Amino acid sequence: MDTYQFYPTPDDLARKMISKFVEDPFSRDARIIEPSAGNGALVKALVAERDRRHDQRMREYGSYWRADPINVDFIEVDMSKHSTLLDIEGVKGQIVGLDFLQFSGALSSYSHVLMNPPFNAGVHHVLKAWDGLYDGEIVSLLNAETIRNPFSKERVRLVNLIENHGDVEFVQGAFKGDGVERQSDVEVAIVHLVKKADLQADVIGHVLDSLQDDPLHDTGGSAFPHLMEGQELAIPGDVIEITVRTFNAAVKAMRESVIAQARSSYLSRLVGKTMAQHNGGTADQPENIAKTIRDGIRQGYKDLKDRAWSSVLTSTKVSNKLSSGAQQRLMSDFERIKRLDFSVANVYSFLIGLIESQSDMHLQMACDIFDDITKYHEDNSVWYMGWKSNDKHRTAGRRIKMTRFILPGFEGSWSRSSIGYQETMRLSDFDKVFEVLDGKQVGSSYGLAKLFSERAKDLANGKRLASDYFEVRWYPGRGTVHFFPKRKDLIDRLNRLVGRTRQWLPEREDMVSKDFWLAYEQAEKFDDAIRSMVAQEKGWRNPFWVASARDGKEAQDACDTIAKACLKVAQDHGLDPLKGLEHASAQPQALLLEAA
């Protein structure tokens, strides 16, 4: 079944379509949108034509300069094609939406629309592009029957637009022959429309009312809330819809403001020069009013989308459930997120994606906490013989100590009776991770952050106090906190979770021998002997610090040294952690054979 009616545009046809543009689509001021981008055939043809013109200019003028990237934004419903589109060389573009007919973005900010829409909805795509465009051109491929047989009011309107604002060229056999990805006998029509802004009415006359309000497309939104019931990251549907409606109202006001400002500047120049200008000051520069309006709308719309998506990402329903590290990773992806059209459907889709990825986020949060504990003090962790070992390399894993660990970076204020915001957030990260490990709802425990907020003076005076998961002692002068885990099972859960993630431990216990687990469980008992053995071999750099990097040959050599010491100490105690590893590595294949 052809879900998306995907017929890639053949090269010859794409070049013919591009040649229809009157205004240069390769100028620095051009902004192109491809509303049915597919695998990028049209945009790749744009790049090829840009390069051809560039080479021709270099031959004519005998000099070299780099061709500017083409400004193209994409809309494509098939998300499997997004990475291909973003990897097209020579293009500076982003994915701004999925379904063009549901797109509520600022089409008025674009100068060129180039598209090969699904033939069964082509007329609707062209009319939507025409209604949204402010001043620019449309080149679209359609089924010839759309023009030849105008049986609907939409087709009649399109035919009238072609008669008054453009032209059409019919092409037979465009989807036949060598190099055509999908063969078809269909006759196609290349529709070219030119929309010119009525600056007399828009700027000199009344406030522009031809720039229609982008409708709020709730289609599909109502299907999402039930998927999010009971999810911690879910934002109430009414809040989302109110935010989107407010955003749309702001977009409308912004457009009116941009056009009013353009009209004001135009009329100001008609009034005359200022006295300073009459006395030799800098005169007003002539401007392309249509371009000024397009650019103003584009920048204003970009700013409003930034604000709107920021309000979603920083909402308490989202941010309170994530550690500071997880929030930073989410914010680092903000540049991609904020380019999406801000609609009810897109906000729900984003939140559902966030919910579905909670397991991965929680796993990364656990790794962040593990690293925070193990990177400062060697005494916070112990080493053990890792699972992924062979004759060439040995793997050493780490475990957080069950009894106590110490963390720096908790200096007190001048009064030594409180900690700062960053330190509080760091403790809050511990609370969130251990609540997840305990299967509790985030924010439901009496955590470290609350303990330090309510009992900081007592802690500063040397008292050992407890949250739900830790007893702590604070030394504000040294800036350290000593953590005494109350739940050794949760520390073990954290150790095993990180160990499996980093392949220090096997995915299943039965993949290794009993000796492996005995050596793992007695790692704290073996720690002094392991460190003593490593100390005899180490050079000027501490292998424990070098191995912690987990990257590069030097780190691998250090890991080998530690792992060999772990193996030797275990063997001295009558254990063989490597026993059965060769059998374990063959086990998955054996299971597959049994299943077959």
Side-chain angles (χ1 to χ4, degrees):
M1 180 178 178
D2 185 8
T3 306
Y4 302 120
Q5 287 223 325
F6 177 52
Y7 283 82
T9 313
D11 291 343
D12 290 344
L13 187 58
R15 286 193 293 271
K16 187 183 290 289
M17 291 173 66
I18 294 166
S19 69
K20 298 290 184 181
F21 284 125
V22 176
E23 298 295 329
D24 185 6
F26 309 113
S27 71
R28 293 185 178 181
D29 294 333
R31 296 280 301 182
I32 307 169
I33 186 167
E34 219 286 50
S36 304
N39 59 7
L42 284 173
V43 176
K44 290 173 184 175
L46 270 172
V47 173
E49 177 61 18
R50 188 275 316 268
D51 292 343
R52 186 192 67 78
R53 296 186 189 184
H54 178 256
D55 292 343
Q56 182 178 345
R57 290 192 188 102
M58 287 199 298
R59 287 194 300 269
E60 290 175 354
Y61 296 104
S63 60
Y64 173 81
W65 66 92
R66 180 176 296 177
D68 292 328
I70 307 172
N71 295 311
V72 185
D73 286 339
F74 305 102
I75 296 176
E76 172 52 43
V77 67
D78 186 354
M79 290 189 290
S80 68
K81 295 181 170 61
H82 287 186
S83 60
T84 300
L85 294 171
L86 295 177
D87 287 341
I88 297 176
E89 190 173 351
V91 172
K92 181 181 179 183
Q94 306 298 335
I95 306 294
V96 296
L98 301 177
D99 184 349
F100 181 57
L101 294 182
Q102 298 295 324
F103 181 66
S104 60
L107 289 173
S108 47
S109 66
Y110 295 99
S111 59
H112 298 72
V113 181
L114 180 64
M115 60 178 168
N116 174 7
F119 282 172
N120 63 358
V123 63
H124 301 290
H125 282 246
V126 175
L127 293 179
K128 180 178 177 70
W130 177 266
D131 291 338
L133 205 62
Y134 175 61
D135 184 273
E137 298 179 69
I138 301 169
V139 173
S140 177
L141 196 67
L142 297 176
N143 189 321
E145 280 298 298
T146 304
I147 311 300
R148 295 192 189 278
N149 184 20
F151 63 81
S152 67
K153 63 180 181 180
E154 290 84 8
R155 291 190 178 190
V156 170
R157 184 185 174 208
L158 176 58
V159 169
N160 290 333
L161 286 174
I162 294 171
E163 290 176 354
N164 295 316
H165 302 282
D167 57 81
V168 59
E169 178 182 352
F170 295 98
V171 182
Q172 183 68 51
F175 282 87
K176 298 288 287 184
D178 296 337
V180 177
E181 187 171 336
R182 292 193 67 180
Q183 304 280 333
S184 174
D185 291 325
V186 65
E187 182 185 14
V188 297
I190 302 175
V191 173
H192 175 224
L193 298 175
V194 179
K195 187 173 185 180
K196 288 295 182 184
D198 187 354
L199 299 179
Q200 179 70 28
D202 296 346
V203 178
I204 302 173
H206 293 63
V207 173
L208 178 69
D209 39 34
S210 64
L211 258 180
Q212 296 181 355
D213 189 17
D214 277 340
L216 173 62
H217 294 290
D218 285 19
T219 304
S222 60
F224 289 132
H226 76 278
L227 297 175
M228 302 172 66
E229 291 176 0
Q231 298 287 353
E232 290 187 5
L233 299 181
I235 299 174
D238 56 345
V239 174
I240 294 174
E241 293 180 7
I242 290 170
T243 303
V244 172
R245 293 183 187 278
T246 304
F247 168 79
N248 285 339
V251 170
K252 178 181 178 181
M254 175 273 295
R255 288 172 167 171
E256 294 172 347
S257 174
V258 168
I259 294 158
Q261 181 60 46
R263 188 174 73 254
S264 173
S265 297
Y266 178 82
L267 294 176
S268 295
R269 289 194 297 275
L270 290 185
V271 169
K273 298 179 180 180
T274 66
M275 185 59 70
Q277 289 172 336
H278 278 293
N279 292 331
T282 303
D284 294 326
Q285 299 297 314
E287 61 178 330
N288 182 330
I289 298 176
K291 178 183 178 302
T292 298
I293 292 174
R294 276 203 312 263
D295 291 348
I297 290 173
R298 180 169 63 250
Q299 186 57 46
Y301 185 69
K302 180 180 177 182
D303 175 74
L304 287 171
K305 280 205 299 182
D306 188 315
R307 294 172 183 270
W309 280 112
S310 294
S311 70
V312 171
L313 265 65
T314 59
S315 69
T316 55
K317 283 284 186 178
V318 174
S319 60
N320 283 0
K321 311 307 178 190
L322 304 178
S323 70
S324 54
Q327 291 180 44
Q328 289 172 8
R329 284 187 289 274
L330 187 60
M331 291 306 173
S332 69
D333 206 26
F334 180 63
E335 286 300 315
R336 180 188 61 82
I337 295 169
K338 74 177 184 181
R339 294 175 190 129
L340 293 174
D341 180 29
F342 190 74
S343 64
V344 169
N346 280 354
V347 174
Y348 274 122
S349 295
F350 166 74
L351 291 175
I352 289 171
L354 203 60
I355 289 167
E356 291 175 345
S357 64
Q358 278 187 85
S359 295
D360 291 337
M361 287 191 295
H362 289 158
L363 179 58
Q364 187 57 56
M365 287 164 59
C367 290
D368 289 344
I369 291 301
F370 183 93
D371 291 340
D372 194 23
I373 294 172
T374 57
K375 70 183 177 183
Y376 292 110
H377 283 277
E378 284 189 38
D379 288 342
N380 285 351
S381 63
V382 294
W383 295 79
Y384 59 88
M385 185 71 200
W387 174 56
K388 283 288 187 179
S389 295
N390 53 46
D391 291 337
K392 185 175 181 181
H393 291 299
R394 302 297 188 196
T395 300
R398 302 182 77 175
R399 281 184 48 179
I400 298 169
K401 284 187 175 180
M402 299 283 192
T403 51
R404 184 194 69 169
F405 57 85
I406 304 170
L407 292 182
F410 290 93
E411 289 79 6
S413 65
W414 288 110
S415 62
R416 293 190 175 182
S417 60
S418 65
I419 58 175
Y421 174 78
Q422 294 298 332
E423 292 78 14
T424 302
M425 291 300 98
R426 190 176 171 195
L427 293 176
S428 179
D429 290 350
F430 273 73
D431 296 333
K432 292 171 183 176
V433 167
F434 277 84
E435 285 166 340
V436 171
L437 290 170
D438 196 22
K440 298 290 182 63
Q441 184 176 354
V442 172
S444 62
S445 69
Y446 183 72
L448 292 165
K450 193 169 185 178
L451 174 65
F452 270 75
S453 173
E454 295 178 351
R455 306 289 301 276
K457 286 188 177 180
D458 291 335
L459 287 166
N461 289 327
K463 289 188 176 181
R464 177 166 163 168
L465 302 176
S467 68
D468 281 355
Y469 298 113
F470 296 95
E471 291 183 1
V472 294
R473 193 182 293 279
W474 182 32
Y475 298 89
R478 300 176 190 170
T480 60
V481 175
H482 292 221
F483 296 80
F484 304 89
K486 295 171 63 177
R487 294 279 303 275
K488 291 180 171 52
D489 60 317
L490 296 184
I491 297 294
D492 183 56
R493 195 170 297 169
L494 176 61
N495 283 329
R496 289 173 183 263
L497 183 65
V498 176
R500 288 195 300 271
T501 301
R502 293 179 174 166
Q503 296 189 324
W504 301 333
L505 297 176
E507 295 180 3
R508 302 190 320 273
E509 290 201 13
D510 61 354
M511 297 176 74
V512 292
S513 66
K514 182 179 179 181
D515 279 9
F516 178 92
W517 290 114
L518 288 173
Y520 168 79
E521 290 165 1
Q522 297 185 56
E524 290 192 40
K525 175 183 175 182
F526 296 163
D527 186 54
D528 288 342
I530 291 170
R531 292 183 183 277
S532 176
M533 189 172 294
V534 170
Q536 297 174 14
E537 298 187 19
K538 74 178 183 181
W540 65 278
R541 298 193 69 180
N542 186 334
F544 294 105
W545 284 104
V546 176
S548 298
R550 296 193 301 278
D551 288 315
K553 184 179 184 304
E554 191 177 11
Q556 180 60 63
D557 291 343
C559 191
D560 284 346
T561 298
I562 297 169
K564 288 174 183 176
C566 293
L567 178 62
K568 180 66 169 61
V569 170
Q571 290 173 339
D572 289 346
H573 286 78
L575 301 175
D576 184 6
L578 292 182
K579 184 172 63 177
L581 285 186
E582 183 178 351
H583 171 72
S585 64
Q587 188 172 4
Q589 183 178 4
L591 291 173
L592 287 174
L593 291 173
E594 290 176 9

